[in-house]
Amino acid sequence: MHADLSRITHRPERHYSAVVAQQGRVQLDADANEQTAIQLFQARTLAADLIGAHGGPHGATGFKIDLRGGPHELDDLVIGGGRYYVDGILCDATRPRPGTPVPTATAPKKEGGEDEEEADGDAPTLPAVSETWTYWDQPDGHRDPERPGDRLPSQFPYLVYLKVWERLVTAAEDPALREVALGAALPDTAARAKVVWQVLPLPASELGLDGDNPPADDIRTAFDRWARQAAAPGCRLAARSERPDHADDDPCLVAPEARYRGPENQLYRVEVHEGGTAKDATFKWSRENGSPTFPVDELDGTWVQLASLANDDKLSLHVGDWVEFVDTGYASRGEAAPLLRVAEVDLPGRRVRLSDEPAPGVGRRPELHPFLRRWDHQEAGRKTVRRGDRPGRLRHGAVPVEEGGWLPLEDGVEVYFETGGSYRTGDFWLIPARTATGGVEWPTDRARRPLLQHPSGIVVHHAPLAWVHGEQAVPDLRFAFRPLATGIQAADAAQPQGAGGVGTLSTGAAGGAGPKQPRSQTTAEAEAQVDEQGVAD
């Protein structure tokens, strides 16, 4: 999550059940965020334990798939509304209904009582609004018919599945999150975590199944095997802080023995940019967890008009900075377009000139809320890093991955990529650096050797929806569950009888063998018993 955080402290393996605030203590974002993470973990674990890997409520099970043929190989899928749980995460496919606007003023009537015709002719007829999503207009799919890779497979059979993950949304992407009463000079407040779902196709060849219509259990088994492999992390990283060789050159900045030489506390983010094996993969890093963002008002070639520049010079843009052009579609698709360098800054005009135009399809649609995200790595020779420059140049603006050795970031912070890794765009690690300790917070063994860690995210979940093997053949692969609640038995219903049976009560003396009456009675039965015995038991 590219948020302005101090650190992430939630550790499920420690089995904490709540964060307990203490009086007179400093309030930290990490504590509040950990409480939210604990509650989400408990709720989703419970849902997954009860529901299973995936399923929807009976009568409201969402994501029913129907095939809709289209011209020129542009088939479409109709996505039924409702709810579905994937690994305990709620996904809602219900399409919101549009609001009702205030009606326009009524045209004046003629003297004869008939309405006058509108001056501009008949009122325009609004197009009908669909009550369901489709493959092409699903809210976070951002599929493009002009891209052949986005189209549905032209050959049957193929599987339709649900892909689910979470991403962060800030005021740069959703301006409604900002409280305008605080003024434009103040930063935004809290961000939001959003569940993103996408309905995607998977060719049958990826599952290794024979035949056009194998049994549903075989399809689910093959898909589960594919999903585990797709979600499993394929790389690991370690981090440490080492006192630079030239630390004696600036002894007055930090403590002489400090390994981390930065003047401030930071949360470093190391994120994979282009995926693949080590020879193809690249990464980028930020000392602010990738949180410095700049909403874009207009794009004109290489010039970008920004809504604002940061008031803090440390968080602003400078010539030579590397930025990523992002919008909602780009973030949802998990793409890796080339990073761009800031070539010129026009402070009075709130404009910056980039080294090249953004990738096609990114930043051109204002409704997708484009913005620039600043990264802090630099090309070798442009900025001195604390452990010295590494040979080689950046690749498409990102740092090439080098496995099996310690790579310097800055100020004594170093990272190590394990050999033989397989990298995915968006995989990231967080490294808190603290001036109080003069080091970074990273797990170590008893000998204080840094431990290799899988990425902190992105965690992706999958569920099969349908098997498409013909124009009118879409077998359903979803699961449904019924509510656990049942009706309460009526008070006058017959109760089980028998000595010591549940639901019976002895009315005799203690230790006696008197008659036994039902524990629950109606009012009429109780009154009859009083009239007969003279007293109430």
Side-chain angles (χ1 to χ4, degrees):
M1 295 185 178
H2 304 87
D4 187 9
L5 308 175
S6 58
R7 58 177 183 158
I8 299 293
T9 59
H10 180 229
R11 302 291 184 270
E13 67 275 9
R14 297 181 182 177
H15 306 295
Y16 294 141
S17 60
V19 175
V20 180
Q22 302 184 82
Q23 63 175 351
R25 303 316 199 262
V26 175
Q27 298 294 310
L28 297 177
D29 64 289
D31 295 333
N33 293 335
E34 183 172 351
Q35 178 61 52
T36 300
I38 289 174
Q39 291 175 322
L40 271 178
F41 178 79
Q42 291 176 340
R44 290 173 175 174
T45 301
L46 176 61
D49 288 342
L50 295 177
I51 298 170
H54 56 90
H58 181 73
T61 306
F63 296 94
K64 184 180 185 302
I65 301 300
D66 290 311
L67 178 64
R68 178 191 294 169
H72 306 295
E73 299 182 352
L74 287 181
D75 289 348
D76 201 356
L77 299 173
V78 178
I79 305 170
R83 300 181 299 280
Y84 207 69
Y85 292 83
V86 181
D87 292 333
I89 301 174
L90 171 62
C91 305
D92 195 341
T94 304
R95 185 160 189 161
R97 292 181 176 273
T100 303
V102 176
T104 57
T106 304
K109 293 184 178 182
K110 295 181 178 180
E111 294 182 358
E114 298 179 358
D115 294 339
E116 292 184 356
E117 296 182 359
E118 294 184 356
D120 297 331
D122 296 335
T125 302
L126 297 178
V129 179
S130 174
E131 295 184 356
T132 57
W133 298 107
T134 69
Y135 173 77
W136 291 110
D137 70 359
Q138 54 184 304
D140 292 301
H142 299 285
R143 304 289 97 182
D144 186 356
E146 299 298 326
R147 297 187 180 188
D150 283 357
R151 299 174 185 176
L152 294 172
S154 57
Q155 295 182 349
F156 300 118
Y158 59 88
L159 183 139
V160 179
Y161 71 96
L162 189 61
K163 179 181 178 181
V164 182
W165 75 98
E166 275 188 321
R167 70 179 185 88
L168 194 82
V169 177
T170 66
E173 192 172 347
D174 185 359
L177 298 181
R178 182 182 295 275
E179 174 52 73
V180 296
L182 297 177
L186 292 178
D188 58 346
T189 55
R192 303 293 188 270
K194 177 182 180 181
V195 173
V196 177
W197 59 261
Q198 293 178 341
V199 172
L200 301 173
L202 181 66
S205 58
E206 297 286 338
L207 300 177
L209 294 173
D210 297 328
D212 290 342
N213 191 22
D217 288 342
D218 292 351
I219 298 175
R220 293 190 180 103
T221 300
F223 178 79
D224 290 344
R225 183 170 55 250
W226 175 88
R228 285 193 300 270
Q229 183 177 359
C235 57
R236 294 192 296 181
L237 174 142
R240 71 178 184 183
S241 54
E242 286 292 306
R243 190 173 185 270
D245 296 334
H246 58 77
D248 293 334
D249 297 340
D250 51 358
C252 297
L253 295 179
V254 293
E257 69 280 2
R259 302 182 308 279
Y260 167 58
R261 310 297 295 181
E264 299 182 37
N265 299 318
Q266 304 289 358
L267 181 61
Y268 284 89
R269 181 188 188 94
V270 176
E271 181 175 318
V272 175
H273 187 63
E274 291 186 68
T277 59
K279 65 182 182 65
D280 300 320
T282 60
F283 73 95
K284 55 208 174 188
W285 62 264
S286 166
R287 66 179 70 93
E288 306 285 349
N289 190 28
S291 62
T293 56
F294 307 87
V296 172
D297 282 345
E298 185 180 357
L299 173 63
D300 183 11
T302 59
W303 279 97
V304 182
Q305 180 73 48
L306 303 176
S308 64
L309 287 168
N311 295 326
D312 187 344
D313 185 66
K314 181 173 69 73
L315 300 177
S316 189
L317 287 176
H318 303 87
V319 174
D321 287 342
W322 289 95
V323 295
E324 186 174 15
F325 216 112
V326 183
D327 60 21
T328 301
Y330 176 87
S332 297
R333 294 176 61 95
E335 296 177 324
L339 302 182
L340 305 173
R341 189 171 56 84
V342 176
E344 184 178 348
V345 177
D346 176 15
L347 289 178
R350 301 197 316 274
R351 299 190 308 159
V352 296
R353 183 172 61 84
L354 303 178
S355 56
D356 200 353
E357 290 191 27
V362 180
R364 273 76 173 181
R365 298 172 57 185
E367 67 273 15
L368 295 183
H369 304 290
F371 61 90
L372 299 181
R373 186 186 307 281
R374 192 195 75 186
W375 296 95
D376 294 322
H377 61 271
Q378 294 290 333
E379 191 170 3
R382 288 187 175 274
K383 183 178 180 180
T384 303
V385 295
R386 298 304 185 185
R387 293 287 295 177
D389 294 333
R390 296 194 310 278
R393 299 175 62 85
L394 301 182
R395 186 186 307 147
H396 302 303
V399 185
V401 168
E402 299 176 23
E403 296 180 331
W406 288 99
L407 309 179
L409 301 186
E410 67 173 6
D411 295 337
V413 180
E414 299 179 349
V415 296
Y416 178 99
F417 289 97
E418 184 183 25
T419 57
S422 176
Y423 302 87
R424 297 176 301 192
T425 297
D427 284 347
F428 70 91
W429 298 262
L430 299 180
I431 310 169
R434 296 294 180 258
T435 59
T437 60
V440 299
E441 297 181 358
W442 191 265
T444 60
D445 63 6
R446 294 184 177 180
R448 296 187 177 181
R449 294 176 300 180
L451 299 177
L452 291 164
Q453 300 287 302
H454 288 298
S456 300
I458 304 171
V459 181
V460 182
H461 310 264
H462 306 86
L465 297 177
W467 179 259
V468 182
H469 64 89
E471 292 291 345
Q472 302 297 328
V474 186
D476 202 334
L477 298 176
R478 299 171 301 158
F479 288 126
F481 59 89
R482 292 185 178 274
L484 295 176
T486 58
I488 298 176
Q489 193 172 19
D492 57 353
Q495 297 292 329
Q497 300 293 327
V502 177
T504 62
L505 177 66
S506 174
T507 58
K516 297 182 178 180
Q517 300 292 336
R519 181 182 298 272
S520 178
Q521 296 176 308
T522 64
T523 303
E525 290 173 340
E527 291 175 348
Q529 186 174 349
V530 171
D531 293 340
E532 180 179 347
Q533 300 180 1
V535 294
D537 290 338

